Amino acid sequence: MNLVLPKTTLLALDPGETTGVVEVFKGELIRAYTVSYDKIFDSVANEGEPAGRWAHEYPLWVIEDFRVYPWANLGFDPVRTARLIGVLQVAAQRGNVKVEYQMAGLAKQMVRSDLLRQLGWFHRLKGTHTKDAARHAVCYMLRQLAKEGRKV
């Protein structure tokens, strides 16, 4: 199978204590890295790096969504991931950036490691968080192809 992704430019984020980030330009993986929770908070508060650059360079952000399920016993968990998603929403709104949310399960189901290998992305993704961010990017683009009626 020779999959050609659409020429989409986007930023994909797997938010958490360590946030996985994937930058995609015209369907090609440009950068994959992680950023700390505190660095993202500081950059949004100060409108600096990296959130300021992201908003300037990427018109679309695909962010893993977060849900608190009634059966999950989180105790006194401060739900830092949910807080981080809120901060990313603020940064996106300031930068007039479109945001798409995806649940983790959707991306993991649609984009397995063998597909990341086929695309030539896998070897550039260091750690779980960048792999998950890449899954969100590819998942978004695959769904975009399907909406256009192109075979996935």
Side-chain angles (χ1 to χ4, degrees):
M1 177 172 102
N2 191 14
L3 178 64
V4 177
L5 294 173
K7 302 295 183 198
T8 306
T9 296
L10 63 84
L11 180 80
L13 299 133
D14 175 45
E17 289 294 324
T18 302
T19 295
V21 181
V22 166
E23 299 182 31
V24 177
F25 182 73
K26 295 187 178 178
E28 297 293 325
L29 176 64
I30 302 301
R31 289 182 205 86
Y33 53 94
T34 58
V35 180
S36 75
Y37 179 90
D38 291 331
K39 182 167 183 159
I40 292 173
F41 257 84
D42 291 345
S43 75
V44 172
N46 301 317
E47 298 185 34
E49 179 71 25
R53 181 180 64 79
W54 294 341
H56 180 72
E57 294 179 10
Y58 295 95
L60 169 66
W61 294 0
V62 180
I63 302 174
E64 181 177 293
D65 209 352
F66 180 84
R67 298 275 192 274
V68 176
Y69 296 100
W71 58 84
N73 184 8
L74 296 178
F76 293 105
D77 188 318
V79 288
R80 289 170 59 94
T81 299
R83 292 178 182 186
L84 184 58
I85 291 169
V87 165
L88 291 168
Q89 285 176 302
V90 169
Q93 187 174 18
R94 280 183 185 163
N96 199 29
V97 172
K98 178 182 176 189
V99 177
E100 291 283 331
Y101 296 97
Q102 289 179 356
M103 294 306 295
L106 175 66
K108 287 179 181 177
Q109 180 181 6
M110 284 187 69
V111 183
R112 304 214 184 263
S113 295
D114 59 331
L115 180 53
L116 294 174
R117 283 186 189 90
Q118 179 187 341
L119 292 169
W121 290 24
F122 192 84
H123 72 282
R124 297 179 59 194
L125 305 169
K126 306 299 181 211
T128 304
H129 302 295
T130 55
K131 286 181 179 77
D132 286 346
R135 291 180 209 289
H136 286 291
V138 174
C139 180
Y140 177 86
M141 290 186 280
L142 290 175
R143 294 177 78 201
Q144 185 180 20
L145 287 175
K147 284 180 185 175
E148 295 170 1
R150 293 171 43 194
K151 188 167 178 148
V152 179

